C-alpha cells in the first residue's frame, strides 16, 4: 500500500495496568516527557483521603456522607473532574497516570508508525470506554469546542444527538491531561485527526466509584488472595463489563454501527 488516505483506529483497553514499580496506572493517560512537569490536578489532593483511605475495604467509613460534603464544597463538576481527570501526585491514588509513558502506549505508537500508514490524510481515533452515562446509552466525546467546524463535521458523520464536546459542564465528559489519542495526533501531525472517546453506560456513578475505591484499597491494604478480594474484583469487572446478555448485545450492536459510520464517512470524504 503506497498511500492510505484515511484510517479508522480503535483501541479498547482495560482501565489499569501495573507499572514496573508495582503501581497501578491508568493507561488511558500518559505522563508528559521527563523534561516537562506533570500537569497540576486540583482539587484531587483534597479528595484523596476520601477516595483512597489507607485501610482495608469494609467497615463503616461514611463514604456517602463524605461524598455529599465534597459535592457541596466543590460542586458536581469539580468532583467529577477531580476523580476522573487523572492525577500524577499520588501513586496509590485512583486514576494515577504513572511516572512515565506506559509500555502499552509505546507499543501503540510503534504500530501507528508503520510506513504503510505514513500517507494518511484523515485519522479517526476511537477510544472505547464503558462506565459513564445512562445504562445502555452512548456518547461520542470529542476534544473540540461546541461551536467548532470539527464537531459539526462529526455530528454529520455520527448523528447530532450522539456527539458531545469534551466539556465537563455540558456532558458526562471530563478533561484529561493525557489521552491515548494524543499519540495519533503526534504520529499523524500532517493529517486531520479526529480523537473520539466512546462512552457506553453501565451503572450509576455511585456504584462505579464505590467499586473503584474498594479495589484500590484491596490492592494496597488487604490480602489480594482472599475471598473478599475476589468478590471486589468481580464487582469491578461487572461495573465495566456487565454480565447481562441484553447489555452486551446492545454494546456490540452499537459499536458495530459506530465503526460502520466511521468507515463510511471517511470513505465519502
Amino acid at each position: 500500500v503506497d498511500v492510505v488516505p484515511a484510517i479508522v483506529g480503535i483501541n479498547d483497553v482495560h482501565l489499569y495496568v501495573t507499572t514496573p514499580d508495582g503501581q497501578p496506572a491508568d493507561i488511558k493517560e500518559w505522563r508528559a516527557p521527563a523534561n516537562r512537569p506533570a500537569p497540576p490536578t486540583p482539587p484531587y489532593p483534597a479528595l484523596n483521603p476520601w477516595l483512597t483511605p489507607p485501610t482495608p475495604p469494609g467497615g463503616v467509613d461514611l463514604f456517602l456522607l463524605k461524598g455529599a460534603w465534597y459535592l457541596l464544597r466543590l460542586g458536581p463538576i469539580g468532583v467529577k473532574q477531580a476523580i476522573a481527570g487523572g492525577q500524577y501526585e499520588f501513586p496509590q491514588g485512583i486514576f494515577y497516570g504513572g511516572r512515565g509513558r506506559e509500555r502499552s502506549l509505546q507499543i501503540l505508537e510503534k504500530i501507528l508508525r508503520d510506513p504503510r500508514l505514513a500517507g494518511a490524510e484523515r485519522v479517526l481515533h476511537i477510544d472505547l470506554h464503558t462506565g459513564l452515562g445512562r445504562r445502555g446509552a452512548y456518547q461520542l466525546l470529542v476534544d473540540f469546542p461546541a461551536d467548532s467546524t470539527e464537531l459539526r463535521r462529526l455530528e454529520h458523520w455520527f448523528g447530532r444527538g450522539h456527539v458531545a464536546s469534551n466539556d465537563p459542564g455540558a456532558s458526562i465528559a471530563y478533561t484529561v491531561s493525557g489521552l491515548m489519542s494524543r499519540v495519533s495526533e503526534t504520529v499523524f501531525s500532517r493529517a486531520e485527526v479526529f480523537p473520539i472517546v466512546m462512552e457506553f453506560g453501565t451503572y450509576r456513578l455511585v456504584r462505579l466509584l464505590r467499586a473503584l475505591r474498594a479495589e484500590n484499597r484491596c490492592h494496597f491494604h488487604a490480602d489480594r488472595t482472599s475471598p473478599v478480594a475476589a468478590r471486589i474484583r468481580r464487582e469491578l469487572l461487572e461495573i465495566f463489563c456487565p454480565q447481562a446478555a441484553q447489555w452486551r448485545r446492545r454494546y456490540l450492536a452499537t459499536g458495530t454501527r459506530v465503526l460502520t459510520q466511521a468507515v463510511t464517512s471517511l470513505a465519502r470524504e
Side-chain angles (χ1 to χ4, degrees):
V1 179
D2 294 325
V3 176
V4 181
I7 301 172
V8 178
I10 308 147
N11 60 269
D12 187 3
V13 296
H14 298 291
L15 283 176
Y16 297 107
V17 297
T18 300
T19 62
D21 59 358
Q23 304 295 343
D26 182 358
I27 60 176
K28 78 173 184 298
E29 301 172 27
W30 55 278
R31 186 65 179 263
N35 60 341
R36 299 180 188 176
T41 55
Y44 182 88
L47 273 66
N48 188 64
W50 168 58
L51 292 171
T52 57
T55 56
V60 178
D61 64 2
L62 304 177
F63 167 67
L64 292 177
L65 184 61
K66 293 178 181 178
W69 161 246
Y70 284 116
L71 283 172
L72 289 173
R73 180 183 171 191
L74 303 174
I77 296 175
V79 171
K80 176 176 66 174
Q81 181 59 45
I83 294 172
Q87 55 86 18
Y88 301 89
E89 302 163 78
F90 299 88
Q92 295 188 5
I94 290 178
F95 295 124
Y96 175 60
R99 295 181 178 176
R101 178 173 279 195
E102 298 302 330
R103 178 63 178 162
S104 58
L105 292 181
Q106 297 175 27
I107 294 172
L108 175 61
E109 181 172 351
K110 183 178 180 179
I111 293 171
L112 295 179
R113 290 194 181 278
D114 186 314
R116 293 171 294 180
L117 306 180
E121 298 171 1
R122 290 173 299 279
V123 177
L124 263 173
H125 182 123
I126 303 176
D127 192 353
L128 305 180
H129 282 224
T130 60
L132 283 184
R134 183 168 52 86
R135 185 179 177 88
Y138 75 97
Q139 274 196 310
L140 304 177
L141 308 178
V142 299
D143 197 15
F144 298 118
D147 58 351
S148 65
T149 57
E150 291 87 354
L151 188 138
R152 287 195 294 270
R153 196 171 175 188
L154 290 168
E155 287 179 334
H156 177 69
W157 292 350
F158 298 101
R160 187 172 184 180
H162 295 298
V163 181
S165 174
N166 195 16
D167 177 1
S171 69
I172 63 172
Y174 46 89
T175 302
V176 177
S177 58
L179 287 171
M180 291 187 77
S181 58
R182 297 290 183 261
V183 178
S184 293
E185 293 176 317
T186 299
V187 172
F188 303 107
S189 58
R190 297 183 179 181
E192 288 184 291
V193 180
F194 298 91
I196 297 174
V197 173
M198 179 179 172
E199 279 282 4
F200 201 83
T202 57
Y203 291 95
R204 292 183 180 275
L205 189 59
V206 171
R207 182 175 174 181
L208 185 153
L209 182 58
R210 192 191 294 272
L212 284 171
R213 187 172 180 266
E215 194 280 333
N216 181 276
R217 296 173 71 186
C218 181
H219 180 85
F220 288 109
H221 307 292
D223 179 4
R224 303 179 199 173
T225 64
S226 69
V228 172
R231 176 181 57 79
I232 287 173
R233 286 193 295 270
R234 286 195 301 270
E235 169 67 1
L236 187 64
L237 179 61
E238 173 66 19
I239 287 295
F240 291 105
C241 186
Q243 292 291 314
Q246 182 180 10
W247 183 92
R248 294 190 171 197
R249 285 194 298 267
R250 189 166 186 176
Y251 178 80
L252 291 173
T254 300
T256 300
R257 184 172 67 252
V258 169
L259 297 180
T260 300
Q261 289 172 325
V263 173
T264 303
S265 299
L266 287 182
R268 290 174 179 171
E269 288 288 310

